[in-house]
């Protein structure tokens, strides 16, 4: 028997309407725990609690909020190996990746503990004599946070930390596939002294808990990370209620490799971006666009590097790629391997279902070559360890192919040419550009977000988070 992990509503740990099991994707016989799934009525209770607590928290001193966030950061840091193991066990990242993600969550809370003390404002003279103008930032109110499964502690951290830092209250729904890391984070936030009602955890299915949040008239803003299809539903629901929203959705990120690239740098950037974390990152390099002079050499070198990747249980030492998150994701990944073959791309390596010592959702990283940018494997987000190589005639053609997508989150280029690097940074239609680096891998103190169908609303992370989690007030004062 396992203990029931409960929801946290209005300062109390409470059971839900049903129970879900958290399964280890590296070993489906391993049940991590049972987690209470909230009802729509309990979502309403959480929102009411957040509204009741909103006024006092918004007017708490910066020192009070700083101290809470700093305590959260310190406990996460002190427990990073333990929490990293939990994360790897429930999501499938390798243990080093899991520990690294937990460390980042600690850094995020530490960063926003500092930002509490630096909330910006302005004062300047009016064009009218004897009048001063003050511009201040105030909290938005009750923030609904809907997080995905692929970064089960880092993404909640980069949404919750600024929400609390700027004086908002929170109703947080983690992905039902990975409640463990979110529940552990909630316990830490409670122990840090977050007042009753300021932070609420409601676990469960998106169709119940997420929908109840979208339908609730007393949530002032929603920050969502997930699929494009769900993001569109979030946008429609928020627009209907004239509610502020922030969307981070999909990506079909290109990595351009030019003839003059350092081949080793290019291969490592591609392997990291396309296959680490089992390719389950919105910033993954799923399109590898190489110019003719380097195309074959790069394809062969990349395939040789991939042959050395170890795919196995995420907790085992020496593993490079863990399982995908569940059976549905594995089925989707394998279906795209079949689609790529049907479309006429050549499967150079991988793309096979793997059996390991424990029952899990393992597949070998797949590399297609001789793909075109019109193929489904080049246009649709697969969200697994599958990448397609696309030939380009020149740098200009490569840039054209890179921009020919409905997404615009991140893009990279491998080149030793300063001219081409500078041109790429200016002309790539993406929110983030990488030069001689993997497309996946960003800093917690810099803005995160994209263009086109990848993102909508204010940027996340860093000082730019203030744009979403606050509203501006202009005051005129007659002397």
């Amino acid at each position: 028997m396992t203990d029931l992990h409960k929801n946290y509503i209005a300062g109390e740990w409470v059971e839900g309407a049903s129970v879900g099991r958290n399964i280890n994707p590296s070993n489906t016989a391993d049940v991590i725990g049972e987690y209470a799934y909230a009802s729509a009525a309990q979502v309403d209770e959480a929102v009411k609690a957040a509204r009741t607590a909103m006024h006092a928290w918004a007017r708490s001193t910066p020192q009070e909020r700083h101290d809470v966030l700093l305590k959260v950061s310190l406990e996460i840091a002190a427990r990073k190996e333990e929490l990293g193991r939990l994360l790897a066990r429930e999501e499938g990242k390798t243990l080093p990746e899991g520990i690294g993600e937990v460390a980042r969550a600690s850094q995020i809370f530490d960063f926003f503990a500092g930002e509490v003390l630096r909330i910006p404002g302005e004062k300047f003279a009016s064009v009218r004599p004897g009048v001063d103008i003050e511009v201040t930032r105030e909290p938005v109110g009750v923030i609904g946070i809907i997080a995905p499964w692929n970064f089960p502690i880092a993404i909640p951290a980069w949404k919750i930390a600024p929400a609390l830092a700027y004086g908002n209250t929170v109703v947080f729904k983690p992905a039902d596939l990975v409640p463990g890391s979110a529940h552990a984070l909630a316990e830490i936030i409670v122990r840090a002294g977050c007042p009753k009602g300021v932070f609420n955890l409601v676990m469960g299915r998106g169709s119940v808990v997420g929908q109840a949040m979208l339908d609730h008239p007393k949530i002032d803003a929603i920050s969502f990370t997930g699929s494009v299809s769900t993001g569109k539903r979030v946008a429609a629901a928020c627009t209907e209620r004239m509610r502020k929203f922030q969307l981070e959705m999909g990506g079909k990120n290109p990595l351009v490799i030019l003839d003059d690239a350092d081949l080793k740098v290019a291969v490592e950037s591609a392997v990291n971006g396309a296959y680490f974390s089992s390719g389950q990152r919105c910033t993954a390099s799923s399109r590898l666009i190489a110019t003719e002079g380097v195309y074959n050499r790069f394809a062969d070198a990349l395939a040789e590097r991939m042959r050395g990747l170890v795919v196995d249980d995420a907790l085992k030492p020496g593993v490079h790629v863990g399982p995908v998150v569940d059976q549905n994701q594995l089925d989707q990944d394998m279906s795209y391997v079949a689609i790529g073959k049907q479309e006429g791309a050549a499967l150079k390596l991988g793309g096979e279902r793997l059996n390991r010592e424990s029952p899990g959702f393992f597949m070998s990283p797949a590399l297609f070559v001789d793909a075109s940018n019109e193929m489904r494997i080049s246009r649709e987000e697969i969200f697994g360890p599958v990448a397609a190589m696309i030939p380009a005639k020149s740098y200009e053609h490569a840039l054209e192919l890179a921009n020919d997508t409905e997404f615009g989150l991140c893009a990279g280029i491998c080149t030793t040419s300063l001219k081409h690097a500078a041109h790429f940074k200016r002309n790539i239609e993406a929110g983030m550009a990488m030069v001689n680096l993997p497309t996946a891998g960003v800093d917690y103190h810099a803005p995160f977000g994209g263009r086109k169908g990848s993102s909508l609303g204010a940027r996340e992370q860093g000082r730019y988070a203030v744009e979403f989690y606050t509203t501006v007030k202009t005051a005129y004062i007659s002397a």
Side-chain angles (χ1 to χ4, degrees), residues 14-30:
V14 297
E15 295 185 7
S18 60
V19 174
R21 304 175 85 200
N22 191 4
I23 304 297
N24 180 351
S26 291
N27 181 359
T28 56
D30 176 25

Side-chain angles (χ1 to χ4, degrees), residues 406-428:
E406 66 183 58
F407 298 105
L409 182 57
C410 193
I413 187 169
C414 293
T415 179
T416 55
S417 165
L418 181 60
K419 172 187 173 181
H420 286 138
H423 189 273
F424 183 85
K425 286 187 296 178
R426 178 177 289 273
N427 291 279
I428 190 68

Side-chain angles (χ1 to χ4, degrees), residues 442-465:
V442 296
D443 289 353
Y444 63 87
H445 68 305
F448 179 97
R451 298 165 60 172
K452 303 182 187 178
S454 290
S455 305
L456 189 60
R459 289 289 191 261
E460 296 197 274
Q461 299 201 76
R463 299 183 69 180
Y464 282 72

Side-chain angles (χ1 to χ4, degrees), residues 24-26 79-104 150-153 181 276-278 310-323 362:
N24 180 351
S26 291
R79 298 172 57 195
K80 67 179 182 180
E81 284 82 9
E82 169 206 345
L83 295 173
R85 179 169 288 274
L86 170 63
L87 193 158
R89 188 178 166 208
E90 74 167 349
E91 194 270 344
K93 279 188 176 71
T94 64
L95 183 56
E97 288 176 319
I99 292 172
E101 182 179 333
V102 171
R104 176 170 175 174
N150 61 325
F151 284 90
I153 195 166
S181 297
F276 286 4
S277 297
S278 301
V310 177
V311 182
D312 208 330
D313 188 318
L315 296 177
K316 286 185 176 181
V319 171
H320 302 110
V321 180
F362 302 103

